Amino acid sequence: MPPDDHPFESLREQLDTAARYVDIESDERAMLKYPERMHEATLTLELDDGSLDQVRAYRVQFNGARGPYKGGIRYHPAVDPDEVRALAGLMVYKCAVVDLPFGGAKGGVVFDPQDYSERELERITRAYATEFRPLLGADRDIPAPDINTGQREMNWIKDTYECLENTTAPGVVTGKAIESGGSEGRVEATGRSVTIAARELFDRFDRSLEGATVAVQGFGNVGSVAATLLDDLGATVVTVSDSTGAIFDPTGIDPADVDRFKAETGTVVGYGDADERTNTELLTADVDLLIPAAVGNVIDDELASDVQADVIVEGANGPLTPAADDVLDDRDVVVVPDILANAGGVTVSYFEWVQNRQRFSWSEDRINDALETTITDAFDEMIRVSEDREIPSLRTAAFVIAIERVLTAMEQAGKRAKHG
Ligand code: GLU
C-alpha cells in the first residue's frame, strides 16, 4: 500500500514537515508522533434474537500534556487501529491550535451501525462505556460524537458511567442532548467553524462569499450545516453529495430544502431538478470553494491535479493526503486545514464541559459569540505565523502553533529537556 493509504503515516509526515520550523531535536520528535497509550477490547453483545456477537473497539490516548484527553468515538466498518491513532493525534493538535485546555484522544468500534437495531446499538455503546470506564472521566478522558455517533450514544455513555460510578458526571462526555446536559449550538458547531474559516479566508483575499460557488462533499452533520450557513452568507451551493451520490445544479441548490429531502428519503440523490453526478465530479467541479466534509483520504495527488476550486476548507478529518497537499501547494490552491476549520465541534464541546462543571447553561448567542472569537483568533494567529515565519502551507503553520504549545506544556511538566 502506498503511504498515502495510511492515515497515521500521513499525520507523522505532516508533523515532521512542521517540526522543521520548531526548536526541537530530531530525537525528540517521536513524542509528538506516537500515542501515549492505546487500548483495545473485544465487546460482546447480545443480539435481539438472543445470539451473541463480538465487535472490536479502540480508545487511543495520544497526548495529555495540555489537559484531559478529548475526542470522539467513531462507529464504522473501516475503523482500524492505524486510523484511530491518526485521529487521536489530530485531536491533540486541533485542541492546541484553538488553545483549548485538552489533550487528544479518539475511539472507534469496527462495525456498520446500519446492520444493528437501536437496542443492539445501545448494548454496544454501553459495553464500550463499561469496558473503557476506568479510562474515562471529566478530568481524565472525555468522548464525544464522531462519524455515526451522536447525542443518543453520548446520553447512553453518560448514563452507563454515572450508574457504574454511582454519581452524576455530565462532563464525562460531550455532544449530549440538551436535556441530558448538552450545550446549545453543539450540533451545528463544526459546520459553523467551517463557515467562519471560509469567510475569513475570502475576506483576506478581498473576495466576497456573496455569489461564490461552493461544492460540499458529505451532507451529514458538518456538510449540511456549512452549506446552509454559506447559503445564508450569499454563496451559491451548486453541488452536494452523500455516500449514495452527488447532485449538481448550476443555478444553486437550497441546502435547507435538501436537508428536509434527505431526512425524508435518506439520500440527497433525486432532489428537485438537480442532475446526478459522481463524487469525483463533485470534488473536481468548477467552483470557488470546495468543502470535503465526509471521510478521510478522499483527495489524493492524482485527483488533486484535477481540482478546480482555488480554496479548500477541510470539514472532514484528514480528507487530503500529504501528496495531494504538495500538488495543491504547487498549484497555489489554498487549504484551510482540518485542525482549525473543523475545530468548532470540540470548541463547543469544551463550552459544554465548562457548563457541566459550572452546572449552568449558556445561551446560544453566548456560545456562538465565543465560538466566533475562538475560531477567528486561531485563524489570525495561523496567518500571522505563516507570514512572519514564511511558511506557505496554512496546515504547516497551524501545526507549528499547536506543536509549540504542546511542547511548552511538556517542558513545564518536566517531560522534555529545557529549551532556550
Ligand atoms: N469528533 C469531533 C472531532 O473530530 C469532535 C470531538 C469532540 O468534540 O471532542 O473534532
Side-chain angles (χ1 to χ4, degrees):
M1 256 199 292
D4 276 358
D5 289 348
H6 293 285
F8 186 43
E9 209 162 309
S10 299
L11 173 73
R12 296 203 309 272
E13 204 175 314
Q14 290 165 349
L15 288 165
D16 273 331
T17 304
R20 289 202 275 275
Y21 296 90
V22 173
D23 181 16
I24 180 172
E25 307 295 329
S26 52
D27 61 353
E28 280 187 311
R29 288 188 188 173
M31 66 189 184
L32 299 175
K33 296 194 290 186
Y34 294 91
E36 287 171 11
R37 58 191 84 85
M38 162 127 202
H39 308 268
E40 53 181 301
T42 305
L43 308 179
T44 301
L45 73 136
E46 191 184 327
L47 299 177
D48 291 342
D49 66 6
S51 64
L52 294 180
D53 192 15
Q54 294 186 324
V55 289
R56 294 295 293 158
Y58 302 96
R59 185 76 182 166
V60 174
Q61 297 178 322
F62 204 99
N63 184 299
R66 288 174 47 86
Y69 301 102
K70 184 83 191 84
I73 302 173
R74 177 173 292 198
Y75 288 173
H76 200 276
V79 162
D80 78 292
D82 191 72
E83 182 195 54
V84 187
R85 270 191 285 268
L87 293 165
L90 279 178
M91 287 309 302
V92 174
Y93 300 104
K94 187 184 300 191
C95 291
V97 83
V98 287
D99 214 2
L100 306 179
F102 285 144
K106 199 81 172 197
V109 187
V110 192
F111 77 112
D112 188 344
Q114 286 187 353
D115 298 341
Y116 292 79
S117 71
E118 184 168 16
R119 295 298 309 277
E120 291 166 343
L121 290 176
E122 179 172 350
R123 283 186 217 118
I124 292 177
T125 307
R126 289 190 186 278
Y128 187 97
T130 304
E131 180 63 35
F132 293 121
R133 174 185 53 108
L135 310 176
L136 304 183
D139 291 312
R140 283 194 287 270
D141 185 344
I142 308 150
D146 199 78
I147 293 176
N148 289 328
T149 56
Q151 292 184 337
R152 180 182 64 176
E153 287 73 17
M154 300 308 115
N155 300 341
W156 288 330
I157 291 174
K158 169 182 170 274
D159 181 63
T160 306
Y161 181 86
E162 290 183 336
C163 289
L164 292 170
E165 295 281 330
N166 185 29
T167 188
T168 57
V172 67
V173 65
T174 60
K176 304 173 292 289
I178 303 274
E179 300 77 7
S180 292
S183 175
E184 296 288 349
R186 174 62 185 84
V187 172
E188 302 80 19
T190 313
R192 188 173 285 278
S193 72
V194 167
T195 309
I196 295 169
R199 188 200 65 209
E200 291 298 295
L201 194 81
F202 272 65
D203 273 2
R204 265 193 63 71
F205 292 129
D206 281 330
R207 283 170 62 177
S208 168
L209 275 173
E210 184 99 40
T213 51
V214 183
V216 180
Q217 188 209 24
F219 207 72
N221 174 41
V222 182
S224 65
V225 172
T228 305
L229 294 174
L230 286 162
D231 181 77
D232 290 348
L233 292 177
T236 307
V237 179
V238 292
T239 174
V240 301
S241 71
D242 60 20
S243 55
T244 62
I247 54 170
F248 174 80
D249 184 343
T251 63
I253 288 165
D254 177 355
D257 207 34
V258 178
D259 210 19
R260 277 188 289 275
F261 179 81
K262 188 175 159 83
E264 274 164 30
T265 63
T267 168
V268 298
V269 176
Y271 171 76
D273 295 332
D275 295 337
E276 233 179 282
R277 294 282 164 97
T278 63
N279 250 295
T280 306
E281 285 171 321
L282 177 144
L283 293 169
T284 55
D286 184 9
V287 289
D288 299 309
L289 169 63
L290 170 62
I291 300 180
V295 289
N297 280 343
V298 293
I299 302 181
D300 60 11
D301 46 342
E302 218 179 295
L303 199 68
S305 42
D306 295 332
V307 164
Q308 296 194 64
D310 43 19
V311 174
I312 297 178
V313 178
E314 295 184 326
N317 288 317
L320 312 187
T321 67
D325 254 346
D326 292 342
V327 171
L328 294 163
D329 276 350
D330 285 348
R331 297 186 48 219
D332 291 327
V333 177
V334 185
V335 177
V336 184
D338 46 9
I339 57 169
L340 187 137
N342 74 29
V346 71
T347 300
V348 177
S349 275
Y350 167 57
F351 300 153
E352 178 174 332
W353 179 78
V354 170
Q355 292 170 83
N356 291 155
R357 309 195 70 118
Q358 294 177 329
R359 304 273 175 168
F360 185 77
S361 301
W362 301 0
S363 70
E364 191 171 353
D365 282 350
R366 178 171 176 188
I367 298 282
N368 287 343
D369 286 352
L371 175 62
E372 169 81 26
T373 307
T374 302
I375 301 298
T376 52
D377 284 357
F379 185 93
D380 291 348
E381 180 66 2
M382 174 180 72
I383 298 293
R384 193 188 63 72
V385 166
S386 149
E387 287 175 353
D388 290 2
R389 291 158 75 168
E390 295 176 12
I391 305 174
S393 151
L394 295 182
R395 186 189 313 284
T396 302
F399 268 113
V400 166
I401 296 166
I403 288 172
E404 288 182 343
R405 288 182 179 157
V406 172
L407 286 175
T408 302
M410 292 182 83
E411 188 173 319
Q412 289 168 353
K415 294 196 174 114
R416 181 185 185 225
K418 288 228 176 314
H419 274 240

